[in-house]
DNA sequence: AAAACGCACAACCGCTCGTAG
DNA sequence: TCTACGAGCGGTTGTGCGTTT
């Protein structure tokens, strides 16, 4: 291994201190690359004593390595059956899928990928993020995003769009901004909202069930849990890049400042607002969530002809004054500049309404308590009828007239933005309801069995779903949804035979099949991670 | 052809959390 | 309740390789 080779040359290298250890202890323990001799010692030790009790390795084997280092070395390099080399397309698909389900649970993902380590998967994922970010592609294939969205979307009304005015009480700022309130300790212990989050400190899997209020707005797209992290957010800030073809990049920075507490932007619909908020927020504490974002370019169709994406890794000092001027004023080019339907004063000192926009509206709606099918008792469409039952285009619920539905989508923009489908929440809810039946069952069982057992059960179901290679007879083959990935092999057209693909198909539910079967060209759908909007029924 | 540059990947470290004793 | 330990994860760094100048 190259590492071993380099280790020989760097045998004397060592890093900094070792946390938790005394100075003397830390000084006595070697750091840095492992040598082949050390590897041999460790392997020999494990052969004799087995894994575990790693701290005893140093004592018993003479290795000048801390237990953790031994464990990592063994787990990542020395243990047998480790698979080296690049990931196979099947593995990549599985990773993608697992990440959608589990979030940044590398260890759990690794458990599903024999021979692969969590670190390996993490590196792969991070590389993928970077790659796709550069390419302007969504982290997840659009279909996957849609699926994810369906998992996390709760409608206001299962019967269709409920006018905003129908539930004025729920739009009251205190409620709408509930997520922005500092969480009390107990709340903080509760699972964070689903990973529509832009760099939630504890990224949540897309498919994870949640009781949290869910996004509603069509434009609100789940973000992969592995978005650049808040720590980085605070460190490097972020920019909201305008539509590549029309807008210059604008930056938004989060200046370090005491945070009132974990905040959650269910929907980050307005950069002006964001900018007003963020300087008061310490990114790492924010728990900020962005939805409506597709990674890496997150379309913010906050009105007018412009939508915005997020670009990370800008110096925190890069404040873009243009942010508010472009987007924050609530005066989108085509929107008439009026305030959004709702004006909300959040916990921040500054009124937000003045900078409100369509996405802020979405944010507000997104924070409404879900009153979904579970509550309304509305029958859930069968999965097989999911696409057939797409309702006619709904009346705009929140999106202002300048919503993205009126945005002219160019092919190039589509490819870049891979915009979320502004599918009707109802339709999405159908999907989510159908798809989430399992999750709901799990939840019910959870309540019966206790949270812990429920979690285990959920995992088991998750796992069984993943590992269920069966395919319903007569089901059309799944589209090669991942063909949009430039890094994927082009020879994946036959992946339908792949167990992983089947697994994915199973797990993702049938709606995908309906979608894909309803569209003439998979390439059109997936080629660039975006939908062929004109082919989507019942949208806009 | 050589240097510079950028990217992908491997590997490590530090922090944090959960759990058992 | 405290502590030690294992484990998980984010972040960083080093290296190799391909591309560009």
């Amino acid at each position: 291994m190259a590492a071993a080779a380099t280790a020989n040359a760097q045998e004397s290298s060592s890093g900094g201190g070792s946390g938790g250890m005394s100075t003397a202890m830390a000084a006595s323990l070697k750091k840095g690359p492992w040598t082949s001799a050390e590897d041999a010692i460790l392997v020999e030790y494990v052969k004799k004593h087995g894994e575990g009790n790693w701290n005893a390795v140093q004592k018993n084997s003479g290795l000048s390595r801390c237990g953790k280092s031994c464990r990592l070395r063994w787990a990542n390099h020395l243990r047998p059956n480790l698979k080296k080399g690049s990931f196979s397309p099947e593995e990549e698909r599985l990773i993608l899928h697992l990440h959608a389900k589990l979030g940044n649970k590398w260890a759990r993902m690794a458990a599903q990928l024999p021979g692969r380590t969590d670190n390996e998967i993490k590196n792969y994922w991070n590389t993928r993020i970077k790659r796709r970010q550069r390419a302007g592609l969504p982290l997840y294939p659009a279909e996957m995003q849609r699926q994810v969205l369906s998992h996390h979307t709760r409608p206001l009304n299962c019967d269709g769009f409920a006018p905003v005015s129908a539930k004025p009480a729920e739009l009251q700022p205190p409620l709408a901004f509930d997520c922005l309130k500092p969480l009390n300790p107990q709340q903080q212990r509760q699972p964070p909202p689903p990973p529509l989050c832009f760099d939630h400190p504890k990224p949540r899997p897309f498919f994870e069930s949640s009781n949290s209020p869910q996004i509603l707005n069509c434009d609100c797209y789940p973000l992969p849990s592995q978005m650049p992290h808040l720590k980085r957010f605070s460190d490097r800030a972020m920019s909201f890049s305008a539509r590549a073809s029309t807008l210059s990049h604008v930056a938004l920075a989060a200046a370090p400042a005491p945070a009132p507490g974990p905040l959650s932007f269910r929907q980050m619909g307005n950069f002006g607002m964001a900018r007003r908020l963020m300087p008061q927020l310490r990114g790492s504490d924010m728990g900020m969530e962005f939805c409506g974002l597709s990674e890496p370019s997150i379309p913010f169709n906050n009105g007018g002809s412009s939508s915005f994406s997020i670009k990370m890794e800008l110096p925190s000092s890069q404040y873009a004054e243009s942010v508010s001027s472009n987007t924050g004023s609530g005066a989108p080019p085509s929107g008439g500049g009026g305030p959004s339907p709702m004006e909300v004063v959040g916990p921040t000192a500054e009124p937000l309404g003045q900078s409100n926009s369509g996405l802020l509206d979405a944010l507000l709606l997104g924070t409404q308590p879900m009153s979904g099918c579970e509550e309304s008792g509305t029958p859930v469409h069968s999965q097989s009828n999911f696409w057939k039952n797409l309702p006619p285009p709904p009346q705009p619920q929140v999106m202002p007239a300048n919503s993205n539905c009126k945005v002219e989508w160019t092919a190039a923009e589509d490819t870049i933005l891979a915009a979320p489908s502004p599918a009707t929440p109802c339709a999405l809810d159908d999907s989510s309801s159908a798809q989430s039946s399992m999750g709901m069952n799990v939840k019910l069982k959870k309540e019966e069995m206790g949270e812990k057992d429920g979690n285990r059960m959920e995992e088991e179901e998750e796992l069984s779903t993943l590992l269920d290679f069966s395919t319903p007879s007569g089901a059309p083959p799944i589209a090669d949804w991942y063909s949009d990935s430039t890094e994927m092999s082009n020879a994946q057209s036959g992946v339908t035979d792949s167990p992983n693909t089947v697994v994915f198909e199973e797990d993702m539910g049938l709606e995908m099949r309906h979608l894909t079967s309803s569209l003439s060209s998979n390439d059109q759908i997936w080629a660039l991670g975006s939908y062929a909007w004109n082919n989507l029924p019942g949208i806009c």
Side-chain angles (χ1 to χ4, degrees):
Chain A
M1 180 180 288
T6 58
N8 288 326
Q10 304 176 14
E11 194 158 1
S12 61
S13 66
S14 65
S18 177
M21 267 182 287
S22 67
T23 306
M25 184 68 125
S28 66
L29 295 181
K30 185 185 167 190
K31 293 182 180 179
W34 281 64
T35 67
S36 55
E38 287 174 319
D39 285 343
I41 293 174
L42 181 57
V43 168
E44 191 64 24
Y45 180 87
V46 174
K47 279 181 183 176
K48 285 183 181 177
H49 302 89
E51 298 181 39
N53 201 9
W54 295 107
N55 282 335
V57 176
Q58 189 231 344
K59 301 170 188 172
N60 299 334
S61 68
L63 266 179
S64 297
R65 297 279 184 173
C66 66
K68 176 187 175 179
S69 184
C70 293
R71 178 178 60 84
L72 285 177
R73 184 65 181 175
W74 173 259
N76 292 334
H77 305 282
L78 302 179
R79 68 182 164 95
N81 302 326
L82 269 182
K83 202 184 292 181
K84 290 298 180 181
S86 57
F87 287 94
S88 70
E90 285 74 20
E91 285 177 320
E92 289 173 333
R93 273 189 294 275
L94 189 54
I95 289 171
L96 192 60
H97 172 57
L98 286 171
H99 188 273
K101 288 193 78 166
L102 306 175
N104 293 0
K105 302 300 180 185
W106 311 118
R108 288 184 62 187
M109 293 165 72
Q112 305 300 315
L113 289 161
R116 300 295 185 180
T117 69
D118 56 350
N119 195 47
E120 201 173 5
I121 296 171
K122 183 186 73 174
N123 285 332
Y124 163 77
W125 189 258
N126 290 335
T127 299
R128 173 192 163 83
I129 284 179
K130 275 199 269 182
R131 205 157 49 207
R132 291 185 72 91
Q133 189 170 8
R134 271 198 304 272
L137 294 171
L139 188 52
Y140 292 95
E143 187 59 38
M144 197 161 185
Q145 295 180 14
R146 186 185 185 85
Q147 172 69 20
V148 167
L149 177 60
S150 74
H151 274 257
H152 288 287
T153 302
R154 298 290 191 278
L156 286 178
N157 189 328
C158 273
D159 296 326
F161 272 116
V164 171
S165 57
K167 298 191 174 185
E170 296 179 357
L171 301 178
Q172 293 306 308
L175 186 54
F177 273 87
D178 191 52
C179 60
L180 295 178
K181 294 175 182 175
L183 300 176
N184 63 38
Q186 187 173 7
Q187 286 172 321
Q188 289 177 345
R189 288 193 167 274
Q190 292 174 348
L196 312 173
C197 51
F198 180 9
D199 188 19
H200 193 283
K202 289 285 185 180
R204 299 268 295 180
F206 273 24
F207 292 171
E208 189 170 334
S209 301
S210 172
N211 290 326
S212 310
Q214 298 300 317
I215 54 175
L216 171 65
N217 189 278
C218 307
D219 290 331
C220 189
Y221 240 45
L223 252 198
S225 53
Q226 172 72 345
M227 287 298 291
H229 306 284
L230 282 177
K231 290 178 185 174
R232 305 181 71 176
F233 183 94
S234 62
D235 291 338
R236 309 180 187 182
M238 55 184 277
S239 71
F240 296 88
S241 66
R243 292 278 284 269
S245 60
T246 55
L247 299 172
S248 60
H249 282 68
V250 293
L252 176 74
L263 298 184
S264 179
F265 287 100
R266 281 290 174 184
Q267 304 209 358
M268 199 63 184
N270 182 288
F271 300 118
M273 179 193 79
R275 194 168 166 272
R276 288 183 171 99
L277 286 172
M278 291 186 189
Q280 307 175 36
L281 308 175
R282 187 174 60 231
S284 58
D285 290 339
M286 283 161 67
M288 178 183 287
E289 295 183 359
F290 291 89
C291 63
L293 312 177
S294 70
E295 201 276 345
S297 295
I298 303 102
F300 275 88
N301 301 302
N302 65 330
S305 60
S306 61
S307 62
F308 294 80
S309 60
I310 284 182
K311 273 209 164 189
M312 312 308 298
E313 300 184 355
L314 276 180
S316 58
S317 59
Q318 292 186 13
Y319 283 80
E321 295 304 324
S322 59
V323 168
S324 42
S325 62
N326 281 347
T327 67
S329 63
S334 62
S340 113
M342 294 172 291
E343 289 210 354
V344 175
V345 178
T348 59
E350 189 171 354
L352 303 171
Q354 58 184 271
S355 61
N356 200 358
S357 72
L359 279 180
L360 176 55
D361 301 340
L363 184 149
L364 299 176
L365 276 183
T367 55
Q368 292 183 69
M370 61 179 179
S371 55
C373 290
E374 302 97 312
E375 295 170 11
S376 66
T378 303
V380 171
H381 291 293
S382 70
Q383 288 180 332
S384 59
N385 289 331
F386 170 68
W387 293 106
K388 298 175 188 172
N389 290 331
L390 279 174
Q395 295 302 311
Q397 182 183 13
V398 182
M399 291 303 294
N402 53 11
S403 75
N404 68 313
C405 293
K406 293 189 174 180
V407 171
E408 281 191 27
W409 292 87
T410 68
E413 287 167 343
D414 280 343
T415 62
I416 292 176
L417 293 174
S421 164
T424 71
C426 187
L428 291 170
D429 179 68
D430 289 346
S431 168
S432 65
S433 300
Q435 62 77 23
S436 63
S437 59
M438 178 187 78
M440 291 174 62
N441 290 338
V442 170
K443 280 182 182 177
L444 289 175
K445 292 173 187 174
K446 267 187 180 179
E447 293 176 1
E448 296 169 1
M449 303 166 57
E451 188 69 17
K452 198 164 186 177
D453 289 342
N455 285 332
R456 190 178 306 126
M457 224 180 100
E458 194 169 4
E459 290 183 16
E460 288 170 359
E461 290 213 36
E462 219 170 64
L463 194 57
S464 65
T465 305
L466 262 177
L467 300 178
D468 182 5
F469 288 3
S470 64
T471 306
S473 60
I478 186 172
D480 183 10
W481 56 267
Y482 198 61
S483 63
D484 67 321
S485 172
T486 54
E487 68 271 23
M488 285 294 293
S489 163
N490 290 333
Q492 293 309 307
S493 57
V495 295
T496 50
D497 297 330
S498 152
N500 286 340
T501 304
V502 175
V503 168
F504 181 78
E505 179 184 19
E506 284 284 294
D507 202 51
M508 295 293 284
L510 296 176
E511 33 288 52
M512 177 185 293
R513 290 189 216 130
H514 288 280
L515 174 66
T516 56
S517 64
S518 67
L519 301 172
S520 58
S521 168
N522 287 342
D523 290 339
Q524 183 183 13
I525 306 167
W526 306 115
L528 291 161
S530 62
Y531 286 114
W533 290 97
N534 52 344
N535 286 339
L536 282 178
I539 295 175
C540 296

